Every structure is written in structure tokens, then in C-alpha cells.
Amino acid sequence: MALQALQGELAKIVANRQKLDSQLQENELVHKEFEHLNDDTRVYKMIGPVLVPQDKEEAKANVEKRLEYINDEITRADQKVEQLSKEQEKASVELFKLQMDIQGINKNQ
């Protein structure tokens, strides 16, 4: 993969990782709020413009599943960043070698 393509892909993955981080923080906050709710507290879920009653335990389970999913996605994004960083470093080294070879040829002429 070309160096510029690697840099573009890396930038996309990093931006996605940042979105995942903010989703993680938001869902962790919601999860913590569940700890402070009484057993008889009503929980609502927004579906479009409407608030619909939802079972508290079901809502908590949904948030826990989302947290698990987000953490898995963050792990995948981190692995992809590491892989692309290595590829980018390799491409940069190759580019540097080519530039040095070209400079060497120009000096010899």
C-alpha cells in the first residue's frame, strides 16, 4: 500500500477510535446511573421522537452489551492502528532509501 494511502487509512481509524472513546464514556456514564436507580424507578427508551417505557433490567443489559461491543471495537481499532503504523514505518523507510539512492545517482553524474 502506498504511503499516502496508509496515512489516510490510519487517520480514518484514529478518527473512528475517538468516536468509540466518546461512545464508551457515554455508555459508562449511563451504566453508572443504573447503580443509583431504585427498584421502582421507571426507565424510558427513546425511539425516534417518542419515549417508550422499558424494563430496567433489559435496559441495563442492553447498555452492558453495548459496552462489550464498544470495547471489542476499540480493541480491533487499536490492533489496526498498530498494524498500519508498522506498515507506514516500513513504507517510510523504503521511501527514504529510494531518496538516498536517487541523491547518490545525482551526485555521481
Side-chain angles (χ1 to χ4, degrees):
M1 198 181 267
L3 183 58
Q4 288 180 336
L6 285 169
Q7 290 170 335
E9 183 69 19
L10 187 58
K12 283 187 219 175
I13 300 291
V14 169
N16 186 43
R17 173 68 164 79
Q18 290 171 339
K19 288 179 187 176
L20 288 168
D21 272 337
S22 59
Q23 289 176 354
L24 180 64
Q25 290 174 358
E26 181 180 323
N27 280 276
E28 284 176 340
L29 181 64
V30 171
H31 189 260
K32 287 178 186 174
E33 288 298 318
F34 276 111
E35 304 301 321
H36 301 292
L37 296 179
N38 296 327
D39 291 335
D40 61 343
T41 302
R42 296 179 104 182
V43 176
Y44 295 88
K45 178 179 183 176
M46 184 174 275
I47 300 177
V50 180
L51 286 175
V52 179
Q54 186 177 27
D55 179 66
K56 179 184 163 193
E57 293 305 314
E58 181 183 345
K60 187 176 180 179
N62 287 341
V63 170
E64 288 171 353
K65 286 179 187 176
R66 259 195 315 266
L67 284 169
E68 183 179 327
Y69 172 78
I70 292 168
N71 280 314
D72 288 345
E73 288 298 308
I74 286 174
T75 300
R76 267 194 286 283
D78 287 344
Q79 290 170 347
K80 189 70 174 175
V81 165
E82 185 177 334
Q83 174 197 348
L84 289 173
S85 293
K86 287 178 183 177
E87 289 178 27
Q88 182 179 343
E89 179 66 27
K90 183 179 176 183
S92 293
V93 168
E94 289 176 23
L95 180 60
F96 180 74
K97 286 179 183 177
L98 286 172
Q99 288 173 335
M100 295 306 290
D101 288 346
I102 290 171
Q103 287 178 358
I105 291 172
N106 288 338
K107 287 181 181 178
N108 292 336
Q109 290 180 356

